[in-house]
Amino acid sequence: MDEDSVRKRKDMFNGGPATGPTSNMSASHSKPAEEDMKATVLQKEVGLLSGICLIVGTMIGSGIFISPKAVLLETGAVGPCLCVWAACGVLATMGALCYAELGTMITKSGGAYQYLMEAYGSVMAYLYSWSTIMVLKPSSFAIIALSFAEYASTPFYPGCTPPVVVTKCLAAACILLIVSVNCLSVKLASYVQNFFTAAKLLIILVIIVAGIVLLAQGNTENLSNPFEGASTSFGSIGLAFYNGLWAYDGWNQLNFITEELKNPNRNLPLAIIIGIPLVSVCYVLVNIAYFSAMTPTELLQSPAVAVTFGDRVLYPLSWVVPLFVVFSTFGAANGSCFTAGRLTYVAGREGHMVKILSYISLKRCTPSPAIIFNGILAVLYIIPADINTLINYFSFTQWAFYGLTALALIVMRFTRKELKRPVKCPMPIAVLVVIVSCYLVLAPIIDKPELEYLYCTIFILSGLLLYFPFVHRKFSWTRRVMRPITMHLQLLMEVVPPEKNE
């Protein structure tokens, strides 16, 4: 046992694979050695309840407390605003049904990364991982952390906006805490997710019940002429969907951790069927509750919609709303970090990112290098952050890949007929998701062309400059440079390569 452990650690620090001769010797000698090797594989520790909490907890975050203003601003009236919220729920459900088929057909972690790899090949999967790992995931993490910081600091600055430095420092502290939790334990991160999901559902229920009471008391004037002053601009409707769908983002998060999900063929589609309709109903009812207490103008002028609602309706218990909104955003940030680490880990395992990002903590069974890397990028994105701008460009790029993923489902119906499909999404739904994705990508660009959209496209394609020399050709000098760096990072973080689990 001691000799095997020494050999294993020597192999580990030399950057060698965890499944060489040492692994075979360990497996054949003794049970303790077998248990020792178990540390190099992510464990199946996420059940149905935790899966539902991951979906619901990631979807209900900052969006429902920020996006109502942006959706109302773009639609111009209460009626189309509520229609957009309901339509976003339907669209998220259809997209999730596509992902349910893909996730039960290809039971690997990484979500769309694996599906794009199977349908289109390595280049498209690399471009997705490049843009998602470097921009989309950390910027999403940063946006949610900033929302957490805004709501957490607002009560300490009554009557004025919290200083930017305070907000950003608090957001950075939130990110560091969540990264630490996710590096320590998968079970701990799941418990945190479950607790904060319960907390956010409680505050959503409080807001909905308060809204129903107000409507029963006759506060219906804001809903009497709901379509008066509505905007019909092609691009503004697209931007309204952007902001609404930002609040729904998270419907595909369970696909990123398929390898850690117990019985994925059953629990993946079941969690989607339960979680997403639940969130959709909550969102529409919460917006109706907002309009029962505030006029559209007052809602647009509110710096924090949920806090304003609490001040008007729940006084003297109005402090409950910002407290639970802080819980909500913290839980969403935890879910975002949890799934982002898995995508980075899988991309490193496939050779599309540096190898150290695919390593697993020897003691804690977590992909800690990938989680830490995502956290560092999120902290960097906090520095220049403007929330609404980030949401717009985040959605533009994200929906381009959502459309390509739905198209991958259609493509593989013809090219990969041999794959088993425990869940089968109706083809018209996949086609509709592709069409809507094209609209969401093109509508704002056609209506109001801006250079930022071009910058996003250039950034995505710039990944090819790294792909061909470092991934496709694999220059030998890069391995010579990275080997000592990898070795020292392994020693520092006590991580090992993942065991190949075929």
Side-chain angles (χ1 to χ4, degrees):
M1 169 62 189
D2 293 339
E3 184 180 351
D4 290 340
S5 298
V6 170
R7 288 179 182 175
K8 176 187 167 188
R9 285 184 173 272
K10 184 177 179 182
D11 185 57
M12 175 185 82
F13 294 143
N14 286 329
T19 54
T22 307
S23 300
N24 295 331
M25 288 175 66
S26 299
S28 62
H29 276 194
S30 64
K31 188 175 181 181
E34 198 173 298
E35 291 174 353
D36 193 28
M37 287 306 297
K38 193 177 179 182
T40 64
V41 182
L42 295 180
Q43 307 301 311
K44 289 184 178 291
E45 295 181 346
V46 180
L48 176 60
L49 178 61
S50 294
I52 294 171
C53 287
L54 180 63
I55 292 175
V56 174
T58 310
M59 289 176 72
I60 302 177
S62 60
I64 189 59
F65 309 111
I66 292 177
S67 297
K69 291 167 60 177
V71 175
L72 180 61
L73 181 65
E74 298 297 339
T75 55
V78 174
C81 175
L82 295 177
C83 289
V84 166
W85 279 104
C88 286
V90 173
L91 183 59
T93 303
M94 291 192 299
L97 289 174
C98 295
Y99 273 68
E101 175 176 331
L102 291 165
T104 53
M105 180 174 67
I106 303 168
T107 55
K108 294 181 181 179
S109 292
Y113 173 79
Q114 298 287 3
Y115 315 146
L116 294 172
M117 176 87 78
E118 290 287 340
Y120 308 119
S122 179
V123 174
M124 183 63 74
Y126 173 80
L127 291 178
Y128 172 79
S129 65
W130 160 255
S131 57
T132 304
I133 292 169
M134 300 304 294
V135 176
L136 300 184
K137 282 292 185 182
S139 69
S140 174
F141 195 5
I143 291 167
I144 300 170
L146 284 166
S147 302
F148 162 85
E150 286 181 5
Y151 275 93
S153 57
T154 295
F156 297 98
Y157 297 89
C160 63
T161 304
V164 175
V165 173
V166 171
T167 303
K168 291 186 176 182
C169 288
L170 192 56
C174 168
I175 290 171
L176 294 176
L177 176 60
I178 288 171
V179 166
S180 299
V181 167
N182 279 268
C183 286
L184 284 173
S185 167
V186 173
K187 283 188 177 179
L188 177 60
S190 295
Y191 290 149
V192 168
Q193 191 67 28
N194 296 353
F195 173 80
F196 284 104
T197 298
K200 66 184 67 181
L201 286 176
L202 178 61
I203 192 58
I204 289 287
L205 182 63
V206 168
I207 292 173
I208 290 171
V209 171
I212 292 172
V213 171
L214 288 174
L215 291 174
Q217 292 174 347
N219 295 285
T220 59
E221 56 271 14
N222 295 328
L223 302 171
S224 57
N225 294 308
F227 291 90
E228 185 177 350
S231 172
T232 56
S233 167
F234 184 76
S236 64
I237 296 297
L239 288 174
F241 269 93
Y242 268 4
N243 287 282
L245 288 166
W246 159 249
Y248 280 95
D249 195 62
W251 49 266
N252 63 333
Q253 295 302 292
L254 204 55
N255 292 70
F256 285 99
I257 63 162
T258 309
E259 292 173 22
E260 296 171 78
L261 186 63
K262 299 173 183 175
N263 192 4
N265 287 348
R266 171 185 176 271
N267 290 338
L268 178 62
L270 198 55
I272 287 170
I273 291 168
I274 295 172
I276 298 174
L278 173 64
V279 173
S280 303
V281 172
C282 287
Y283 277 4
V284 174
L285 293 177
V286 165
N287 276 276
I288 292 173
Y290 288 155
F291 289 120
S292 70
M294 289 176 275
T295 65
T297 302
E298 289 171 337
L299 191 145
L300 290 172
Q301 291 174 347
S302 170
V305 178
V307 173
T308 302
F309 179 88
D311 290 339
R312 293 191 176 193
V313 179
L314 301 176
Y315 186 82
L317 297 176
S318 56
W319 57 269
V320 169
V321 174
L323 174 64
F324 276 84
V325 171
V326 167
F327 288 169
S328 177
T329 49
F330 187 88
N334 181 72
S336 177
C337 177
F338 190 88
T339 56
R342 273 58 185 178
L343 174 60
T344 308
Y345 157 78
V346 171
R349 188 176 67 185
E350 298 292 337
H352 285 172
M353 289 287 159
V354 292
K355 185 178 285 188
I356 187 65
L357 295 179
S358 71
Y359 286 10
I360 300 170
S361 172
L362 187 63
K363 296 179 179 178
R364 306 187 184 279
C365 290
T366 58
S368 50
I371 294 169
I372 292 169
F373 180 73
N374 181 61
I376 291 170
L377 289 179
V379 171
L380 293 177
Y381 277 108
I382 283 174
I383 299 170
D386 170 50
I387 288 181
N388 284 328
T389 303
L390 277 174
I391 288 173
N392 288 342
Y393 303 129
F394 168 84
S395 298
F396 158 74
T397 312
Q398 188 72 290
W399 275 94
F401 285 113
Y402 285 163
L404 286 169
T405 305
L407 184 62
L409 183 150
I410 299 171
V411 169
M412 284 192 283
R413 285 282 181 92
F414 299 98
T415 61
R416 302 299 302 274
K417 293 181 181 180
E418 76 282 1
L419 293 175
K420 293 182 180 179
R421 293 170 169 82
V423 175
K424 203 163 186 179
C425 174
M427 186 69 78
I429 289 180
V431 172
L432 188 58
V433 172
V434 173
I435 293 171
V436 172
S437 300
C438 292
Y439 168 75
L440 291 172
V441 170
L442 297 176
I445 299 174
I446 294 171
D447 186 68
K448 193 184 293 184
E450 293 181 3
L451 283 175
E452 283 80 1
Y453 296 118
L454 179 62
Y455 296 154
C456 283
T457 305
I458 291 173
F459 176 82
I460 294 171
L461 296 177
S462 69
L464 295 174
L465 298 176
L466 298 174
Y467 175 81
F468 286 105
F470 300 119
V471 178
H472 183 67
R473 295 295 299 274
K474 296 181 181 178
F475 289 147
S476 59
W477 64 268
T478 59
R479 291 195 292 273
R480 288 197 299 270
V481 170
M482 286 305 300
R483 189 174 290 115
I485 296 174
T486 301
M487 182 185 72
H488 285 93
L489 288 174
Q490 281 188 266
L491 289 166
L492 178 65
M493 293 187 286
E494 295 187 342
V495 293
V496 294
E499 180 181 345
K500 290 182 180 178
N501 192 16
E502 298 296 339

mmCIF file of all heavy atoms in Angstrom, residues 130-131 135-136 389-390 392-398 401 445 450-463:
data_model
loop_
_atom_site.group_PDB
_atom_site.id
_atom_site.type_symbol
_atom_site.label_atom_id
_atom_site.label_comp_id
_atom_site.label_asym_id
_atom_site.label_seq_id
_atom_site.Cartn_x
_atom_site.Cartn_y
_atom_site.Cartn_z
ATOM 1 N N TRP A 130 -14.342 28.210 -25.298
ATOM 2 C CA TRP A 130 -13.517 29.422 -25.235
ATOM 3 C C TRP A 130 -14.351 30.630 -24.810
ATOM 4 O O TRP A 130 -14.014 31.335 -23.854
ATOM 5 C CB TRP A 130 -12.870 29.653 -26.598
ATOM 6 C CG TRP A 130 -12.388 31.039 -26.869
ATOM 7 C CD1 TRP A 130 -12.964 31.968 -27.679
ATOM 8 C CD2 TRP A 130 -11.197 31.652 -26.351
ATOM 9 N NE1 TRP A 130 -12.227 33.124 -27.705
ATOM 10 C CE2 TRP A 130 -11.142 32.963 -26.900
ATOM 11 C CE3 TRP A 130 -10.197 31.240 -25.485
ATOM 12 C CZ2 TRP A 130 -10.113 33.843 -26.589
ATOM 13 C CZ3 TRP A 130 -9.175 32.121 -25.173
ATOM 14 C CH2 TRP A 130 -9.138 33.408 -25.726
ATOM 15 N N SER A 131 -15.463 30.866 -25.495
ATOM 16 C CA SER A 131 -16.279 32.041 -25.194
ATOM 17 C C SER A 131 -17.033 31.887 -23.876
ATOM 18 O O SER A 131 -17.181 32.848 -23.118
ATOM 19 C CB SER A 131 -17.262 32.321 -26.336
ATOM 20 O OG SER A 131 -18.075 31.194 -26.582
ATOM 21 N N VAL A 135 -15.741 34.279 -20.988
ATOM 22 C CA VAL A 135 -16.619 35.454 -20.895
ATOM 23 C C VAL A 135 -17.971 35.129 -20.273
ATOM 24 O O VAL A 135 -18.357 35.707 -19.256
ATOM 25 C CB VAL A 135 -16.840 36.101 -22.284
ATOM 26 C CG1 VAL A 135 -17.839 37.250 -22.180
ATOM 27 C CG2 VAL A 135 -15.533 36.607 -22.853
ATOM 28 N N LEU A 136 -18.725 34.194 -20.868
ATOM 29 C CA LEU A 136 -20.133 34.042 -20.493
ATOM 30 C C LEU A 136 -20.323 33.604 -19.047
ATOM 31 O O LEU A 136 -21.093 34.232 -18.302
ATOM 32 C CB LEU A 136 -20.821 33.049 -21.439
ATOM 33 C CG LEU A 136 -20.819 33.417 -22.923
ATOM 34 C CD1 LEU A 136 -21.609 32.405 -23.726
ATOM 35 C CD2 LEU A 136 -21.398 34.807 -23.120
ATOM 36 N N THR A 389 -25.511 46.467 -19.683
ATOM 37 C CA THR A 389 -24.673 46.215 -20.867
ATOM 38 C C THR A 389 -24.208 44.774 -20.892
ATOM 39 O O THR A 389 -24.250 44.108 -21.931
ATOM 40 C CB THR A 389 -23.451 47.160 -20.860
ATOM 41 O OG1 THR A 389 -23.912 48.507 -20.806
ATOM 42 C CG2 THR A 389 -22.624 46.973 -22.126
ATOM 43 N N LEU A 390 -23.771 44.261 -19.737
ATOM 44 C CA LEU A 390 -23.328 42.878 -19.670
ATOM 45 C C LEU A 390 -24.450 41.911 -20.024
ATOM 46 O O LEU A 390 -24.235 40.930 -20.727
ATOM 47 C CB LEU A 390 -22.802 42.561 -18.265
ATOM 48 C CG LEU A 390 -21.353 42.958 -17.966
ATOM 49 C CD1 LEU A 390 -21.036 42.714 -16.501
ATOM 50 C CD2 LEU A 390 -20.366 42.219 -18.837
ATOM 51 N N ASN A 392 -27.057 42.408 -22.020
ATOM 52 C CA ASN A 392 -27.343 42.458 -23.460
ATOM 53 C C ASN A 392 -26.337 41.634 -24.258
ATOM 54 O O ASN A 392 -26.704 40.832 -25.111
ATOM 55 C CB ASN A 392 -27.354 43.898 -23.958
ATOM 56 C CG ASN A 392 -28.584 44.657 -23.489
ATOM 57 O OD1 ASN A 392 -29.577 44.054 -23.085
ATOM 58 N ND2 ASN A 392 -28.522 45.970 -23.522
ATOM 59 N N TYR A 393 -25.055 41.834 -23.996
ATOM 60 C CA TYR A 393 -24.049 41.153 -24.805
ATOM 61 C C TYR A 393 -23.871 39.706 -24.368
ATOM 62 O O TYR A 393 -23.526 38.845 -25.173
ATOM 63 C CB TYR A 393 -22.731 41.929 -24.767
ATOM 64 C CG TYR A 393 -22.948 43.338 -25.252
ATOM 65 C CD1 TYR A 393 -22.525 44.437 -24.520
ATOM 66 C CD2 TYR A 393 -23.655 43.579 -26.442
ATOM 67 C CE1 TYR A 393 -22.777 45.716 -24.960
ATOM 68 C CE2 TYR A 393 -23.905 44.862 -26.880
ATOM 69 C CZ TYR A 393 -23.470 45.936 -26.134
ATOM 70 O OH TYR A 393 -23.725 47.209 -26.570
ATOM 71 N N PHE A 394 -24.108 39.427 -23.101
ATOM 72 C CA PHE A 394 -24.116 38.054 -22.625
ATOM 73 C C PHE A 394 -25.195 37.255 -23.361
ATOM 74 O O PHE A 394 -24.955 36.165 -23.865
ATOM 75 C CB PHE A 394 -24.386 38.052 -21.116
ATOM 76 C CG PHE A 394 -24.694 36.705 -20.525
ATOM 77 C CD1 PHE A 394 -23.688 35.841 -20.146
ATOM 78 C CD2 PHE A 394 -26.005 36.311 -20.313
ATOM 79 C CE1 PHE A 394 -23.971 34.614 -19.584
ATOM 80 C CE2 PHE A 394 -26.304 35.088 -19.757
ATOM 81 C CZ PHE A 394 -25.275 34.238 -19.391
ATOM 82 N N SER A 395 -26.404 37.813 -23.462
ATOM 83 C CA SER A 395 -27.518 37.115 -24.097
ATOM 84 C C SER A 395 -27.291 36.931 -25.594
ATOM 85 O O SER A 395 -27.648 35.905 -26.164
ATOM 86 C CB SER A 395 -28.821 37.881 -23.865
ATOM 87 O OG SER A 395 -29.114 37.950 -22.496
ATOM 88 N N PHE A 396 -26.702 37.937 -26.248
ATOM 89 C CA PHE A 396 -26.434 37.840 -27.684
ATOM 90 C C PHE A 396 -25.590 36.610 -27.987
ATOM 91 O O PHE A 396 -25.916 35.799 -28.861
ATOM 92 C CB PHE A 396 -25.718 39.111 -28.152
ATOM 93 C CG PHE A 396 -24.930 38.941 -29.424
ATOM 94 C CD1 PHE A 396 -25.572 38.851 -30.644
ATOM 95 C CD2 PHE A 396 -23.552 38.867 -29.383
ATOM 96 C CE1 PHE A 396 -24.853 38.683 -31.817
ATOM 97 C CE2 PHE A 396 -22.821 38.702 -30.548
ATOM 98 C CZ PHE A 396 -23.478 38.618 -31.768
ATOM 99 N N THR A 397 -24.502 36.434 -27.251
ATOM 100 C CA THR A 397 -23.607 35.311 -27.504
ATOM 101 C C THR A 397 -24.218 33.996 -27.029
ATOM 102 O O THR A 397 -24.114 32.972 -27.708
ATOM 103 C CB THR A 397 -22.259 35.540 -26.788
ATOM 104 O OG1 THR A 397 -21.801 36.852 -27.073
ATOM 105 C CG2 THR A 397 -21.224 34.543 -27.243
ATOM 106 N N GLN A 398 -24.866 34.050 -25.870
ATOM 107 C CA GLN A 398 -25.434 32.826 -25.307
ATOM 108 C C GLN A 398 -26.484 32.211 -26.222
ATOM 109 O O GLN A 398 -26.513 31.000 -26.446
ATOM 110 C CB GLN A 398 -26.044 33.141 -23.932
ATOM 111 C CG GLN A 398 -26.494 31.935 -23.154
ATOM 112 C CD GLN A 398 -25.326 31.115 -22.617
ATOM 113 O OE1 GLN A 398 -24.601 30.475 -23.380
ATOM 114 N NE2 GLN A 398 -25.153 31.136 -21.310
ATOM 115 N N PHE A 401 -25.321 30.214 -29.227
ATOM 116 C CA PHE A 401 -24.947 28.832 -28.926
ATOM 117 C C PHE A 401 -26.168 27.983 -28.566
ATOM 118 O O PHE A 401 -26.189 26.778 -28.851
ATOM 119 C CB PHE A 401 -23.910 28.795 -27.809
ATOM 120 C CG PHE A 401 -22.535 29.206 -28.265
ATOM 121 C CD1 PHE A 401 -21.945 30.361 -27.804
ATOM 122 C CD2 PHE A 401 -21.843 28.436 -29.186
ATOM 123 C CE1 PHE A 401 -20.679 30.747 -28.226
ATOM 124 C CE2 PHE A 401 -20.575 28.799 -29.626
ATOM 125 C CZ PHE A 401 -19.997 29.957 -29.142
ATOM 126 N N ILE A 445 -29.368 43.475 -33.553
ATOM 127 C CA ILE A 445 -28.308 43.935 -34.466
ATOM 128 C C ILE A 445 -28.922 44.679 -35.646
ATOM 129 O O ILE A 445 -28.426 45.739 -36.063
ATOM 130 C CB ILE A 445 -27.481 42.732 -34.961
ATOM 131 C CG1 ILE A 445 -26.818 42.025 -33.776
ATOM 132 C CG2 ILE A 445 -26.423 43.177 -35.969
ATOM 133 C CD1 ILE A 445 -26.094 40.755 -34.153
ATOM 134 N N GLU A 450 -24.607 47.983 -33.317
ATOM 135 C CA GLU A 450 -23.588 48.547 -32.443
ATOM 136 C C GLU A 450 -22.306 47.745 -32.587
ATOM 137 O O GLU A 450 -22.327 46.541 -32.851
ATOM 138 C CB GLU A 450 -24.057 48.524 -30.978
ATOM 139 C CG GLU A 450 -25.235 49.452 -30.704
ATOM 140 C CD GLU A 450 -25.648 49.424 -29.243
ATOM 141 O OE1 GLU A 450 -24.986 48.725 -28.445
ATOM 142 O OE2 GLU A 450 -26.641 50.104 -28.902
ATOM 143 N N LEU A 451 -21.182 48.433 -32.372
ATOM 144 C CA LEU A 451 -19.890 47.782 -32.544
ATOM 145 C C LEU A 451 -19.670 46.661 -31.533
ATOM 146 O O LEU A 451 -18.899 45.732 -31.794
ATOM 147 C CB LEU A 451 -18.765 48.817 -32.415
ATOM 148 C CG LEU A 451 -18.546 49.730 -33.627
ATOM 149 C CD1 LEU A 451 -17.479 50.773 -33.312
ATOM 150 C CD2 LEU A 451 -18.125 48.908 -34.845
ATOM 151 N N GLU A 452 -20.346 46.755 -30.375
ATOM 152 C CA GLU A 452 -20.154 45.728 -29.349
ATOM 153 C C GLU A 452 -20.514 44.335 -29.851
ATOM 154 O O GLU A 452 -19.867 43.351 -29.467
ATOM 155 C CB GLU A 452 -20.978 46.061 -28.106
ATOM 156 C CG GLU A 452 -20.386 47.150 -27.224
ATOM 157 C CD GLU A 452 -20.654 48.543 -27.758
ATOM 158 O OE1 GLU A 452 -21.311 48.676 -28.810
ATOM 159 O OE2 GLU A 452 -20.198 49.512 -27.132
ATOM 160 N N TYR A 453 -21.535 44.238 -30.700
ATOM 161 C CA TYR A 453 -21.903 42.933 -31.248
ATOM 162 C C TYR A 453 -20.773 42.389 -32.135
ATOM 163 O O TYR A 453 -20.496 41.190 -32.144
ATOM 164 C CB TYR A 453 -23.191 43.027 -32.051
ATOM 165 C CG TYR A 453 -24.396 43.418 -31.227
ATOM 166 C CD1 TYR A 453 -25.101 44.588 -31.481
ATOM 167 C CD2 TYR A 453 -24.831 42.604 -30.187
ATOM 168 C CE1 TYR A 453 -26.207 44.942 -30.724
ATOM 169 C CE2 TYR A 453 -25.937 42.950 -29.427
ATOM 170 C CZ TYR A 453 -26.623 44.122 -29.695
ATOM 171 O OH TYR A 453 -27.712 44.465 -28.941
ATOM 172 N N LEU A 454 -20.143 43.286 -32.887
ATOM 173 C CA LEU A 454 -19.007 42.886 -33.720
ATOM 174 C C LEU A 454 -17.843 42.435 -32.850
ATOM 175 O O LEU A 454 -17.175 41.437 -33.153
ATOM 176 C CB LEU A 454 -18.585 44.051 -34.617
ATOM 177 C CG LEU A 454 -17.377 43.799 -35.540
ATOM 178 C CD1 LEU A 454 -17.682 42.667 -36.516
ATOM 179 C CD2 LEU A 454 -17.010 45.075 -36.294
ATOM 180 N N TYR A 455 -17.618 43.158 -31.741
ATOM 181 C CA TYR A 455 -16.539 42.774 -30.834
ATOM 182 C C TYR A 455 -16.773 41.372 -30.260
ATOM 183 O O TYR A 455 -15.830 40.578 -30.123
ATOM 184 C CB TYR A 455 -16.423 43.783 -29.682
ATOM 185 C CG TYR A 455 -16.045 45.170 -30.114
ATOM 186 C CD1 TYR A 455 -16.410 46.282 -29.352
ATOM 187 C CD2 TYR A 455 -15.316 45.392 -31.276
ATOM 188 C CE1 TYR A 455 -16.071 47.567 -29.738
ATOM 189 C CE2 TYR A 455 -14.973 46.672 -31.680
ATOM 190 C CZ TYR A 455 -15.349 47.759 -30.902
ATOM 191 O OH TYR A 455 -15.018 49.034 -31.291
ATOM 192 N N CYS A 456 -18.031 41.071 -29.926
ATOM 193 C CA CYS A 456 -18.363 39.732 -29.410
ATOM 194 C C CYS A 456 -18.033 38.656 -30.442
ATOM 195 O O CYS A 456 -17.429 37.623 -30.108
ATOM 196 C CB CYS A 456 -19.849 39.661 -29.058
ATOM 197 S SG CYS A 456 -20.293 40.471 -27.519
ATOM 198 N N THR A 457 -18.429 38.903 -31.690
ATOM 199 C CA THR A 457 -18.171 37.930 -32.758
ATOM 200 C C THR A 457 -16.681 37.754 -32.983
ATOM 201 O O THR A 457 -16.190 36.622 -33.140
ATOM 202 C CB THR A 457 -18.849 38.394 -34.062
ATOM 203 O OG1 THR A 457 -20.232 38.623 -33.825
ATOM 204 C CG2 THR A 457 -18.696 37.341 -35.144
ATOM 205 N N ILE A 458 -15.941 38.866 -33.000
ATOM 206 C CA ILE A 458 -14.489 38.797 -33.191
ATOM 207 C C ILE A 458 -13.837 38.019 -32.062
ATOM 208 O O ILE A 458 -12.935 37.204 -32.278
ATOM 209 C CB ILE A 458 -13.892 40.219 -33.293
ATOM 210 C CG1 ILE A 458 -14.341 40.879 -34.604
ATOM 211 C CG2 ILE A 458 -12.366 40.176 -33.226
ATOM 212 C CD1 ILE A 458 -13.947 42.344 -34.717
ATOM 213 N N PHE A 459 -14.332 38.248 -30.831
ATOM 214 C CA PHE A 459 -13.754 37.536 -29.690
ATOM 215 C C PHE A 459 -13.965 36.032 -29.821
ATOM 216 O O PHE A 459 -13.046 35.238 -29.568
ATOM 217 C CB PHE A 459 -14.370 38.033 -28.380
ATOM 218 C CG PHE A 459 -13.886 37.264 -27.185
ATOM 219 C CD1 PHE A 459 -12.677 37.568 -26.603
ATOM 220 C CD2 PHE A 459 -14.632 36.215 -26.665
ATOM 221 C CE1 PHE A 459 -12.206 36.842 -25.514
ATOM 222 C CE2 PHE A 459 -14.179 35.491 -25.583
ATOM 223 C CZ PHE A 459 -12.970 35.811 -24.999
ATOM 224 N N ILE A 460 -15.182 35.623 -30.209
ATOM 225 C CA ILE A 460 -15.460 34.189 -30.366
ATOM 226 C C ILE A 460 -14.521 33.580 -31.399
ATOM 227 O O ILE A 460 -13.897 32.537 -31.165
ATOM 228 C CB ILE A 460 -16.925 33.965 -30.773
ATOM 229 C CG1 ILE A 460 -17.874 34.396 -29.642
ATOM 230 C CG2 ILE A 460 -17.173 32.491 -31.101
ATOM 231 C CD1 ILE A 460 -19.326 34.399 -30.053
ATOM 232 N N LEU A 461 -14.406 34.240 -32.559
ATOM 233 C CA LEU A 461 -13.566 33.707 -33.639
ATOM 234 C C LEU A 461 -12.078 33.790 -33.302
ATOM 235 O O LEU A 461 -11.283 33.015 -33.850
ATOM 236 C CB LEU A 461 -13.856 34.461 -34.945
ATOM 237 C CG LEU A 461 -15.282 34.297 -35.495
ATOM 238 C CD1 LEU A 461 -15.470 35.147 -36.744
ATOM 239 C CD2 LEU A 461 -15.596 32.825 -35.788
ATOM 240 N N SER A 462 -11.716 34.704 -32.407
ATOM 241 C CA SER A 462 -10.295 34.822 -32.041
ATOM 242 C C SER A 462 -9.791 33.566 -31.343
ATOM 243 O O SER A 462 -8.572 33.333 -31.266
ATOM 244 C CB SER A 462 -10.083 36.038 -31.136
ATOM 245 O OG SER A 462 -10.675 35.839 -29.864
ATOM 246 N N GLY A 463 -10.721 32.756 -30.834
ATOM 247 C CA GLY A 463 -10.308 31.496 -30.239
ATOM 248 C C GLY A 463 -9.579 30.588 -31.215
ATOM 249 O O GLY A 463 -8.759 29.760 -30.806
#
